[in-house]
Amino acid sequence: MRIVKEIAGRICAAWALVTFIVTFILVLPFAFVSYLFPEPASTAYFIKVSRIWMHIWFFLIGCPIRVRGTAHFKKGAGYIVTCNHNSLLDIPLSSAFIPGPNKTIAKTSFARIPVFGWYYTKGSVLVDRKSETSRKRSIEKMKAVLRQGMHMCIYPEGTRNRTKEPLKPFYNGAFKLAEDTGHSIVPAVILGTKQAVPLNKPFFFLPRTLEIHFLKPVEVNGRNAAALKEEVFNIMKAHLEV
């Protein structure tokens, strides 16, 4: 039975990769149209295209999507969305299904991939973590995203969680951004991606239901980054442990 599961996981991974590439090629011309609009209309259009693409792709690979808590987003307000990070599936899930235009803080590595790198860059605020200059520029870019009424998605664990704990300790970035700008934080919990793409199995995927739950916003109310980080961490951990 284990051998059958291992074989099935590789076949499903191959199917997921092929369908990702094919659907990406088909959606790319529509995504290019986003450059005809100024911000934030440009990103709003881009995210709508991405959402359609992800609905199609997740359907093709057998992953139903469940999204809860979108009512927490007030129209016209920009939020800092903090997501847990377990899998490469987390970013396409969060980016496409956060309600409204949004950008994700992301590493520069994927931006170097020909053609796809453009798409990845359009939906991201890129940062080279090894460069102090890059980190400072990314902070200013994230503040600009929020000023334009868009949402800024941040993974406060920094990297995928390879521990047995529900969450890794959080970095300060998202919460310092909230402290500096006064923008509320929407904790978001992603479920199912760790099981669909286990971190300890190379080139392995098995279909399952994927979920993203947006929780009640955390207001800044003059609090510092440390206090915000502790509250958001506890909220997300409690939701994961239910």
Side-chain angles (χ1 to χ4, degrees):
M1 189 65 182
R2 184 176 178 181
I3 295 176
V4 172
K5 184 177 180 180
E6 292 294 323
I7 294 172
R10 269 64 185 191
I11 293 172
C12 288
W15 171 250
L17 179 60
V18 169
T19 53
F20 184 90
I21 293 171
V22 171
T23 54
F24 171 69
I25 292 171
L26 293 175
V27 82
L28 191 59
F30 298 96
F32 272 123
V33 176
S34 64
Y35 277 109
L36 299 177
F37 311 113
E39 292 289 12
S42 176
T43 296
Y45 171 85
F46 177 80
I47 292 298
K48 287 178 182 178
V49 172
S50 298
R51 189 173 297 128
I52 293 170
W53 176 27
M54 286 299 104
H55 270 301
I56 294 170
W57 184 59
F58 281 125
F59 171 77
L60 290 174
I61 64 174
C63 289
I65 305 299
R66 293 177 183 170
V67 182
R68 299 179 182 177
T70 56
H72 290 308
F73 291 81
K74 294 181 181 179
K75 188 175 181 179
Y79 293 90
I80 298 166
V81 182
T82 56
C83 299
N84 57 315
H85 198 8
N86 291 316
S87 161
L88 290 175
L89 291 177
D90 296 333
I91 294 176
L93 182 64
S94 63
S95 180
F97 294 101
I98 290 174
N102 67 89
K103 290 185 181 289
T104 302
I105 187 72
K107 298 183 294 183
T108 57
S109 53
F110 282 110
R112 301 187 185 101
I113 300 173
V115 186
F116 177 75
W118 167 83
Y119 195 98
Y120 179 83
T121 300
K122 178 62 179 174
S124 307
V125 170
L126 297 177
V127 59
D128 180 354
R129 293 173 183 166
K130 298 178 181 179
S131 168
E132 180 67 22
T133 301
S134 178
R135 290 198 299 270
K136 289 180 179 178
R137 286 177 180 168
S138 69
I139 292 170
E140 295 308 312
K141 289 178 182 178
M142 287 190 287
K143 289 179 179 179
V145 167
L146 294 169
R147 283 195 299 270
Q148 292 173 322
M150 296 188 282
H151 311 306
M152 193 63 231
C153 181
I154 300 175
Y155 291 83
E157 293 170 287
T159 57
R160 285 169 285 173
N161 183 6
R162 297 179 182 274
T163 74
K164 294 181 180 180
E165 297 299 319
L167 292 171
K168 289 170 56 182
F170 285 175
Y171 287 96
N172 294 327
F175 313 101
K176 187 66 169 65
L177 182 64
E179 179 186 349
D180 290 347
T181 64
H183 283 262
S184 300
I185 301 168
V186 173
V189 173
I190 294 173
L191 304 169
T193 57
K194 192 171 188 175
Q195 292 73 30
V197 183
L199 288 171
N200 62 338
K201 292 180 180 290
F203 200 71
F204 185 95
F205 162 73
L206 285 177
R208 63 170 293 131
T209 299
L210 307 179
E211 302 186 34
I212 181 164
H213 299 177
F214 300 109
L215 311 180
K216 184 178 178 181
V218 174
E219 308 291 339
V220 176
N221 291 331
R223 289 180 293 169
N224 63 22
L228 293 168
K229 179 170 73 171
E230 181 179 6
E231 180 175 355
V232 172
F233 182 91
N234 289 335
I235 289 170
M236 292 175 64
K237 183 179 179 184
H239 195 83
L240 283 165
E241 291 178 335
V242 170

